[in-house]
Amino acid sequence: TIDEVNANLEDILRDVEIDLFVQEPFDFNEVFDRTEKMNFDHAYVHIASIDDLIDMKKKVGRPVDIQDVYVLELLKKAKNES
């Protein structure tokens, strides 16, 4: 469930890699408007929406991105069911 994911989010994010873009492969303002603002140790971070992450990863299409799409779709389903 999404509650279980949230409870383990800190452990999950410990090994997360962050992709930075030299050029934006999307409309930044549109994507930013759909971000979720989260608080991590008193620092706010804007996280792209699950749908935007899925779209970005499908466009890249590397094997690791396809695996990420599968996990993101599971998270989206769990979030929608809660």
Side-chain angles (χ1 to χ4, degrees):
T1 67
I2 196 68
D3 291 331
E4 292 168 332
V5 171
N6 287 336
N8 295 313
L9 194 55
E10 188 173 318
D11 290 331
I12 292 168
L13 292 177
R14 253 183 251 279
D15 297 321
V16 168
E17 294 182 20
I18 298 175
D19 293 326
L20 301 176
F21 302 103
V22 175
Q23 246 183 330
E24 298 165 3
F26 49 82
D27 185 311
F28 177 82
N29 291 328
E30 285 181 18
V31 171
F32 188 81
D33 287 342
R34 293 187 293 267
T35 61
E36 185 174 337
K37 187 175 177 182
M38 301 181 82
N39 183 352
F40 290 102
D41 283 334
H42 309 292
Y44 288 98
V45 178
H46 289 267
I47 307 294
S49 73
I50 291 176
D51 288 331
D52 286 327
L53 288 170
I54 290 170
D55 185 51
M56 287 182 233
K57 292 201 167 276
K58 282 182 176 178
K59 286 179 182 174
V60 174
R62 299 174 299 182
V64 68
D65 294 303
I66 301 306
Q67 291 173 347
D68 290 345
V69 166
Y70 176 76
V71 172
L72 288 167
E73 288 175 344
L74 290 175
L75 287 171
K76 181 179 175 180
K77 182 178 178 185
K79 186 175 182 179
N80 289 338
E81 290 174 355
S82 64

